[in-house]
Amino acid sequence: MFTQKDKESLLMLLDGGKIHMGEQVKIFEEAFARHMGVKNAVAVSSGAGGMHIALLAAAVGPKEEVIVPPLAPVAGPNAVFYQGAVNIFADVDAATGNVDPKDVLARINSGTKAIILHHYGGQPCDLQPVLDELKDKDVPVIVDATHSIGASYHQQSVAGLGDMVVFDFGPGNQIYTGEGGMITTNSDELAQWLRMFRDEGFVREKHLLSKDEGPWHNEMQDLGYPYRITDLQAVLGLSQLERLDETVARREEIAKRYNEAFGSMEEVEVPEEVPGVKSAWGFYPLLLKEEKLIANRPRLFVQLKMQGIEVQVKHYPVFLHPYYLWAGHPDVCTLEGSRAPKAEEFYQRVILLPINQTISDEEVSNIIAKTKGILTAF
């Protein structure tokens, strides 16, 4: 997982004696912004923290509505609740698990304050119709790009598509720093708000202070949160950023082998190839087709695990978590039927095969052979 250069970068920082948020964070932010082709990058303690302060920067407040994706980490919808706002779930495209832009647009009304989109599994969603519709409206688009570091949409990095785009550096992602994340934006004003909110509301730049008490002076100008990242995480992220293209290319190779191996099987469906979209392959979703397989997915999961295959299942439709059932929108939580039926159907069919840059060709062959054998046996 970690290279010799990663380890050397950490040791050099430790030798310097300072590991809190400092110069290395600034260097990492600037390098990330350059690599992604955007004006600003703001490092944060986690992707979840990034989603929270993105909503703060978007000025989302109590009882305002935010349209959110159902098949995504809970960080985005949770942040809506942090702000006392209301989650409005849009449904997904049944083939990809990505939010359906038509359903998003159908849910926009006068009470819509912001929209959160998500790139399921690292494959960019079709966000251009949403961006076009909102071009002249004061409704910011925040993108949860948790699994999408290095993905592109019509030859443009996903980092520049949306008012704010939030990345996560947690386990399984293309850059892994233990915890940590990054928010990209082409707005200097939003970047300024984000930096303040991630630093407990403090402003430290002299030209932004309301008064000058001396060279030591800084001010808390709003209510922020302790969402700072450390220089330790920054140097690790910077080292991995240098090989990001290689990391994504390796994941793409593995995905291609999976597609070739499982594409001809009647029992399953491989991820749909969407023209103009380059996935970062945060994970590899294999969709079960046979009713017997779907009904026996728990047994299938256990058998794959017993064969040493690190299979996963995610994301549970957010609105089905008990808290969301108890604290849902008062106007819709008592309605009969699903709030996003296609999302529920997709979740019931999906299993995720291992995909990361450290898996060898031999291991990929082993995963394919064992998975095929178990699917056929069922």
Side-chain angles (χ1 to χ4, degrees), residues 314-328:
K314 57 175 154 184
H315 300 282
Y316 190 48
V318 176
F319 56 87
L320 293 181
H321 285 288
Y323 182 82
Y324 281 80
L325 295 174
W326 301 330

Side-chain angles (χ1 to χ4, degrees), residues 56-73:
L56 280 167
V60 172
K63 298 184 180 180
E64 293 177 323
E65 294 185 355
V66 180
I67 298 173
V68 298
L71 292 181

Side-chain angles (χ1 to χ4, degrees), residues 287-348:
L287 292 178
L288 307 177
K289 286 174 63 176
E290 296 281 346
E291 287 299 325
K292 187 176 181 181
L293 282 175
I294 296 170
N296 286 281
R297 186 174 62 155
R299 288 179 56 208
L300 174 65
F301 182 92
V302 170
Q303 288 201 23
L304 288 166
K305 282 280 192 180
M306 289 175 64
Q307 290 294 316
I309 300 172
E310 290 303 314
V311 66
Q312 298 183 64
V313 173
K314 57 175 154 184
H315 300 282
Y316 190 48
V318 176
F319 56 87
L320 293 181
H321 285 288
Y323 182 82
Y324 281 80
L325 295 174
W326 301 330
H329 191 308
D331 296 335
V332 298
C333 66
T334 57
L335 293 180
E336 294 183 5
S338 173
R339 295 170 75 173
K342 291 179 183 177
E344 290 197 50
E345 180 185 356
F346 187 96
Y347 168 77
Q348 293 295 334

